Amino acid sequence: MHENEISKIIFDLGLKIHKNLGPGLLESAYEECLFYEISKAGLFVEKQKPMPLIYEEVKLDIGYRIDLLVEKSVVIEVKSCEALNDVHLAQVLTYLKLSGCRLGLLINFNTNLFKNGYRRILNGNVSL
């Protein structure tokens, strides 16, 4: 399945969760719900996937963890904050670089409209 198809499914599932729960919950609650919904949709999803840093052929496990990795190709970073900022974007860019994935989704559930908290990052380019 192509990354665009996967991201469409994830958007729809995130929207469903947001409609049911609304903003204001902890990040971990949204992450668990999204993990559940993605699994239920039949996609392979890994939660809190460790992502080591390779430096001069040495694998360093220094605590990087991707919130959700879908079909080994789409990185999802879940947030529940007042507003997304450059640090959140940098986090997704780092995960894309370390994982070798092309597409990252930065999802902030703490918004009145779900679409306002949804960002696609494709090879370092951000789109709404």
Side-chain angles (χ1 to χ4, degrees):
M1 185 177 291
H2 191 269
E3 292 111 341
N4 286 334
E5 295 168 302
I6 296 169
S7 69
K8 171 70 172 115
I9 292 168
I10 293 166
F11 180 88
D12 291 342
L13 295 174
L15 181 60
K16 175 185 175 184
I17 293 165
H18 192 269
K19 281 182 178 179
N20 284 319
L21 300 177
L25 300 179
L26 294 174
E27 183 178 301
S28 57
Y30 296 113
E31 183 181 321
E32 285 296 327
C33 291
L34 193 54
F35 176 79
Y36 167 76
E37 289 290 348
I38 293 169
S39 297
K40 194 169 83 170
L43 298 175
F44 177 72
V45 59
E46 298 171 88
K47 181 173 46 173
Q48 292 297 314
K49 172 81 173 161
M51 199 52 43
L53 174 66
I54 308 295
Y55 179 75
E56 293 186 356
E57 300 178 17
V58 176
K59 183 178 172 181
L60 305 169
D61 187 11
I62 56 175
Y64 288 116
R65 292 190 178 281
I66 296 173
D67 285 348
L68 300 170
L69 181 61
V70 182
E71 294 287 322
K72 297 187 185 278
S73 63
V74 178
V75 170
I76 303 175
E77 183 61 28
V78 176
K79 298 294 181 196
S80 181
C81 55
E82 202 167 309
L84 294 174
N85 60 47
D86 292 343
V87 172
H88 301 129
L89 175 59
Q91 188 177 15
V92 175
L93 291 172
T94 297
Y95 293 153
L96 290 175
K97 183 176 182 179
L98 294 177
S99 68
C101 294
R102 293 176 356 115
L103 179 62
L105 303 175
L106 178 56
I107 304 174
N108 181 15
F109 281 92
N110 196 29
T111 59
N112 287 330
L113 292 174
F114 178 73
K115 68 179 183 176
N116 293 342
Y118 185 87
R119 300 288 179 272
R120 287 173 43 98
I121 299 100
L122 182 62
N123 291 333
N125 295 316
V126 181
S127 62
L128 303 175

